[in-house]
């Protein structure tokens, strides 16, 4: 009895399963100014023959990683498809068209000098005319609009351009309009919704031409807007571009930023916000975006101009290939260990920020894991509540100070009255003691935290188990070690620290960058969290996919009474 060749049901199913990812990919970029988001967007827009990479191309790979590179390269050369660009700043520009060009310029007169107003008016009028008559969505959003925004940047200069777009970006999220600073409920996602409309227009046009829709968004700067796209598109990936701090600042200086302007920029887009602070609505919360990212690429400066962007291209080619064909290669050892740290952080009871850490030996064997949390035997913050403390129940969960200091309790009681509404929504009214105490004392002191840091917990796990640090030991952290944890890592003999989010302190310059046993610092590159599972879990067993591709079906086998295998063919 013959069998159908190829096994059509499997071949058809595989084709259908992969179609969504093949037809539609949406990558949102995030990163601090100077990290290289625009460079990443540019690489993704290039045809394959224009992308400079250094993936392994030889015949005799000497390692598994070289073999993985060769597999990725084959897939890249077989079917790379350039991305279309949607610039967030370009979409912000369209909000300026709500009023006449003269009115827009008049509103921004404190930033746009007299001598540049006519040139700005000309560009805004041209963008308006192009928008009114645009026929191709991909042409308008991916080419015409970014070109117009770039002309505005050239006219205004880098610094004033950033000031303009920060101002109107904040207004849009607060009021839904570029020209109003008054809070209007329900308008926070106005910018995200306009970006979504552009995506849908482009996708509809591409489908009508039977073309794929690969879009890169440059650059998302608010974690809530990132969440907006993560919730709406299964094929959306938030890709964070990270750069060593000294490299990033060097790039900004080349763009003629002064030291004061760099400091102001960092305070605007990176400093953690309290949601009650009106500056929260400026929404330049890059740190929050980095915590939400699915994929990370490292973009340090490279001296060799020939291979300047090769490393960056290698990373992008790998991740796009994995998005399109999950499981085509397995994770790197660094990804595997960072995923352990990422999973560990979910144990944290901190209501401000969850951090995970893992310590490994030279061969990436995990020796200890940790997460930021209170000492063993104490109750984490997410399981305590304002109501419970004020009611005087479960006293063992609260410190003697919290229960008995009348001055602190008086201010705590006053503040807690505003949080009673939380109970009506069926939520626990947990609180951060550090924040409340710092507010009470009018301080900003990290020492008041109840929690041990993730790195600290991992180190303590090592010592409590009697384990020792071996040569080549590595620390993986989903953030980066503070000054105190850096000193402990140094003392323990950690040789390499792989981190995601630079700590906004002097840990690197003051603690790790001194002495004879300086640890090596590496920015993480890889997929973690949901992307780790999506990119490295094959849709079907690779053997079955190969059989379907070549039209081969494994013959059915039965056994006779003696146990011998007998083919039915």
């Amino acid at each position: 009895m013959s069998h159908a060749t190829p096994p059509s049901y499997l071949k058809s199913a595989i084709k259908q399963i992969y179609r969504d990812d093949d037809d539609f990919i949406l990558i949102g970029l995030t990163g601090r100014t100077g990290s290289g988001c625009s460079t990443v967007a540019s690489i993704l827009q290039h045809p394959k023959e224009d992308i400079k990479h250094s993936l392994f191309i030889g015949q005799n790979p000497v390692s598994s990683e070289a073999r993985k590179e060769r597999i990725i390269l084959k897939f890249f050369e077989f079917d790379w498809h350039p991305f279309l660009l949607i610039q967030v700043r370009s979409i912000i520009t369209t909000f300026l068209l709500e009023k006449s060009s003269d009115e827009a310029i008049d509103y921004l007169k404190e930033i746009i000098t007299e001598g540049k107003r006519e040139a700005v008016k000309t560009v805004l009028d041209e963008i308006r005319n192009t928008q009114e008559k645009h026929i191709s969505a991909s042409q308008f959003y991916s080419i015409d609009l970014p070109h117009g925004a770039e002309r505005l940047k050239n006219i205004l200069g880098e610094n004033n351009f950033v000031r303009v777009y920060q101002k109107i970006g904040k207004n849009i999220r607060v009021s839904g309009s570029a020209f109003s600073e008054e809070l209007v409920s329900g308008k926070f996602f106005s910018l995200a919704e306009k970006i979504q409309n552009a995506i849908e227009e482009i996708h509809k046009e591409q489908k009508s031409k039977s073309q794929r829709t690969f879009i890169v968004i440059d650059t998302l700067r608010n974690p809530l807007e990132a969440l907006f796209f993560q919730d709406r598109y299964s094929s959306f990936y938030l890709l964070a571009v990270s750069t060593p701090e000294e490299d990033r600042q060097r790039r900004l200086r080349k763009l003629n930023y002064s030291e004061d302007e760099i400091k102001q920029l960092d305070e605007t887009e990176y400093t953690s916000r309290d949601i009650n602070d009106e500056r929260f609505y400026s929404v330049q919360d890059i740190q929050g975006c980095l915590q939400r990212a699915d994929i990370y690429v490292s973009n340090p400066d490279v001296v060799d101009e020939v291979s300047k962007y090769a490393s960056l291209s290698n990373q992008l080619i790998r991740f796009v290939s994995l998005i399109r064909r999950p499981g085509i290669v397995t994770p790197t050892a660094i990804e595997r260990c960072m995923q352990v740290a990422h999973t560990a952080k979910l144990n944290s009871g901190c209501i401000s920020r969850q951090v995970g850490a893992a310590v490994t030996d030279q061969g990436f064997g995990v020796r200890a894991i940790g997460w930021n949390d209170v000492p063993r035997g104490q109750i984490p913050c997410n399981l305590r509540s304002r109501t419970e403390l004020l009611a005087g129940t479960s006293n063992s969960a609260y410190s003697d100070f919290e229960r008995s200091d009348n001055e602190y309790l008086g201010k705590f009681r006053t503040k807690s009255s505003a949080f009673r509404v939380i109970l009506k929504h069926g939520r626990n009214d947990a609180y951060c003691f550090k924040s409340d105490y710092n507010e009470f004392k009018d301080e900003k002191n990290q020492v008041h935290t109840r929690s041990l840091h993730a790195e600290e917990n991992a180190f303590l796990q090592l010592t409590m188990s009697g384990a020792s640090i071996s040569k080549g030991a590595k620390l993986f952290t989903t953030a980066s070690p503070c000054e105190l944890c850096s000193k402990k890592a140094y003392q323990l003999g950690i040789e390499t620290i792989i981190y995601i989010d630079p700590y906004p302190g002097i840990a690197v310059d003051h603690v790790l960058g001194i002495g004879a046993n300086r640890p090596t610092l590496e920015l993480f590159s890889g997929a973690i969290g949901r992307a780790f599972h999506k990119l490295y879990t094959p849709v079907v067993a690779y053997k079955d996919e190969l059989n379907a591709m070549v039209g081969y079906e494994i013959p059915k086998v039965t056994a006779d009474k003696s146990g011998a295998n007998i083919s039915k063919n």
Side-chain angles (χ1 to χ4, degrees):
M1 178 180 177
S2 63
H3 296 282
T5 303
S8 55
Y9 77 91
L10 181 58
K11 189 171 186 177
S12 175
I14 290 173
K15 183 179 179 180
Q16 187 66 36
I17 287 169
Y18 279 124
R19 182 174 298 165
D20 287 342
D21 282 339
D22 269 356
D23 287 348
F24 185 85
I25 297 175
L26 186 60
I27 293 178
L29 304 181
T30 191
R32 300 170 72 180
T33 300
S35 63
C37 287
S38 296
T39 302
V40 168
S42 177
I43 292 171
L44 289 173
Q45 292 175 79
H46 277 72
K48 65 183 178 185
E49 57 270 17
D50 292 340
I51 297 178
K52 297 178 181 179
H53 63 80
S54 57
L55 295 170
F56 183 81
I57 58 175
Q59 297 300 315
N60 297 300
V62 296
S63 67
S64 293
E65 289 308 313
R67 289 181 176 273
K68 290 179 186 179
E69 286 190 5
R70 191 169 63 174
I71 290 171
I72 291 293
L73 179 59
K74 286 180 180 178
F75 190 80
F76 165 71
E77 292 178 336
F78 169 70
D79 198 15
W80 172 264
H81 188 80
F83 282 66
L84 297 171
L85 171 69
I86 291 181
Q87 273 186 344
V88 173
R89 71 186 189 192
S90 297
I91 300 299
I92 288 176
T93 307
T94 65
F95 283 85
L96 286 174
L97 308 181
E98 295 171 350
K99 293 188 177 183
S100 69
S101 299
D102 287 327
E103 289 175 302
I105 293 169
D106 187 61
Y107 179 74
L108 298 166
K109 60 185 177 183
E110 293 182 0
I111 305 175
I112 302 176
T113 60
E114 184 72 35
K116 295 181 178 180
R117 291 179 185 176
E118 192 60 37
V120 171
K121 181 179 184 301
T122 298
V123 175
L124 289 178
D125 286 342
E126 289 178 2
I127 293 173
R128 190 189 310 276
N129 292 334
T130 304
Q131 183 184 42
E132 289 174 352
K133 66 182 182 181
H134 89 266
I135 300 174
S136 167
S138 57
Q139 172 73 27
F140 176 70
Y141 288 113
S142 192
I143 299 175
D144 296 337
L145 198 51
H147 178 65
E150 187 66 22
R151 289 175 63 194
L152 287 175
K153 186 176 78 168
N154 292 336
I155 293 168
L156 295 173
E158 178 78 24
N159 298 343
N160 283 336
F161 180 79
V162 170
R163 288 177 63 198
V164 166
Y165 280 77
Q166 285 181 343
K167 179 180 178 67
I168 61 179
K170 173 184 175 180
N171 289 351
I172 291 165
R173 287 145 175 149
V174 169
S175 67
S177 167
F179 306 100
S180 174
E181 300 174 18
E182 297 296 321
L183 178 63
V184 178
S185 179
K187 293 296 184 179
F188 184 85
F189 290 113
S190 295
L191 177 58
E193 288 168 350
K194 184 159 279 195
I195 294 172
Q196 183 184 27
N197 291 338
I199 292 168
E200 299 303 329
E201 279 190 53
I202 292 173
H203 189 36
K204 181 179 179 181
E205 178 182 277
Q206 294 295 97
K207 287 181 68 176
S208 70
K209 297 187 291 186
S210 299
Q211 293 182 0
R212 298 167 178 160
T213 306
F214 290 4
I215 295 174
V216 55
I217 305 173
D218 177 24
T219 305
L220 295 173
R221 296 178 175 271
N222 179 267
L224 297 180
E225 290 174 344
L227 180 61
F228 177 93
F229 294 105
Q230 284 174 328
D231 283 350
R232 283 161 177 77
Y233 297 99
S234 62
S235 295
F236 173 83
Y237 295 86
L238 183 62
L239 188 151
V241 186
S242 299
T243 300
E245 187 59 14
E246 60 181 24
D247 291 351
R248 189 185 71 87
Q249 293 199 11
R250 188 184 304 114
R251 294 171 189 173
L252 292 177
R253 293 184 190 104
K254 285 184 178 180
L255 293 171
N256 297 319
Y257 278 81
S258 68
E259 297 306 310
D260 286 342
E261 288 168 338
I262 292 174
K263 182 179 178 181
Q264 183 180 5
L265 179 66
D266 290 349
E267 288 177 350
T268 300
E269 67 181 20
Y270 193 74
T271 303
S272 297
R273 306 279 186 248
D274 186 310
I275 197 167
N276 294 313
D277 185 342
E278 70 90 21
R279 293 181 305 158
F280 179 82
Y281 293 101
S282 68
V283 287
Q284 300 291 304
D285 184 7
I286 302 300
Q287 188 178 51
C289 287
L290 291 174
Q291 293 173 36
R292 288 213 63 88
D294 304 296
I295 299 170
Y296 297 84
V297 299
S298 174
N299 182 32
D301 282 343
V302 179
V303 177
D304 181 9
E305 287 293 322
V306 176
S307 59
K308 186 173 182 180
Y309 301 120
S311 174
L312 200 52
S313 297
N314 292 354
Q315 296 171 74
L316 297 174
I317 291 169
R318 176 188 177 92
F319 295 131
V320 172
S321 298
L322 283 163
I323 289 171
R324 298 190 59 203
R325 280 297 183 274
I328 193 171
V329 294
T330 53
T332 64
I334 287 176
E335 284 177 301
R336 181 177 71 242
C337 295
M338 189 62 82
Q339 178 69 2
V340 171
H342 182 273
T343 302
K345 80 175 187 176
L346 302 179
N347 293 288
S348 170
C350 179
I351 64 173
S352 297
R353 184 185 187 190
Q354 294 176 309
V355 179
V359 177
T360 77
D361 57 26
Q362 189 172 24
F364 298 97
V366 176
R367 304 294 298 276
I369 60 173
W371 53 90
N372 59 318
D373 213 345
V374 294
R376 191 174 299 170
Q378 295 186 10
I379 305 300
C381 294
N382 67 333
L383 300 181
R384 307 198 314 163
S385 77
R386 294 178 178 276
T387 301
E388 194 173 63
L389 172 59
L390 293 173
T393 59
S394 299
N395 286 341
S396 62
Y398 304 91
S399 69
D400 291 344
F401 173 82
E402 291 173 290
R403 291 185 292 107
S404 62
D405 189 284
N406 291 327
E407 187 180 0
Y408 170 78
L409 275 172
K411 293 201 173 184
F412 182 87
R413 184 175 288 105
T414 300
K415 182 175 181 179
S416 296
S417 62
F419 287 82
R420 289 174 187 157
V421 66
I422 293 173
L423 302 174
K424 297 179 181 179
H425 292 275
R427 306 297 295 276
N428 181 42
D429 57 341
Y431 66 97
C432 174
F433 173 78
K434 181 189 73 175
S435 296
D436 278 9
Y437 189 75
N438 276 334
E439 185 178 324
F440 166 62
K441 301 293 286 185
D442 193 23
E443 296 177 352
K444 292 184 178 180
N445 200 326
Q446 292 295 321
V447 77
H448 299 313
T449 181
R450 299 179 64 237
S451 293
L452 297 157
H453 286 189
E455 301 92 338
E456 207 172 9
N457 262 329
F459 298 154
L460 287 170
Q461 185 186 126
L462 280 171
T463 58
M464 286 189 295
S465 65
S468 60
I469 292 287
S470 59
K471 181 178 174 59
K474 299 173 175 61
L475 169 65
F476 290 81
T477 171
T478 61
S480 62
C482 67
E483 288 86 355
L484 292 175
C485 290
S486 293
K487 283 187 280 189
K488 292 166 187 170
Y490 203 122
Q491 179 73 355
L492 282 170
I494 297 291
E495 292 193 15
T496 306
I497 299 174
I498 298 96
Y499 66 99
I500 288 177
D501 180 17
Y503 182 79
I506 59 173
V508 174
D509 293 339
H510 183 60
V511 180
L512 300 173
I514 187 172
N517 302 313
R518 304 180 185 188
T520 300
L521 291 162
E522 293 182 12
L523 273 169
F524 172 69
S525 172
I528 59 173
R530 71 172 192 131
F532 183 88
H533 294 283
K534 287 188 69 175
L535 268 57
Y536 291 113
T537 302
V539 175
V540 296
Y542 193 47
K543 181 177 71 174
D544 292 339
E545 183 178 351
L546 293 177
N547 288 335
M549 289 173 67
V550 300
Y552 173 76
E553 185 173 13
I554 300 173
K556 295 180 180 179
V557 177
T558 58
D560 64 11
K561 292 181 180 180
S562 66
N565 291 331
I566 301 175
S567 172
K568 294 184 67 176
N569 286 347

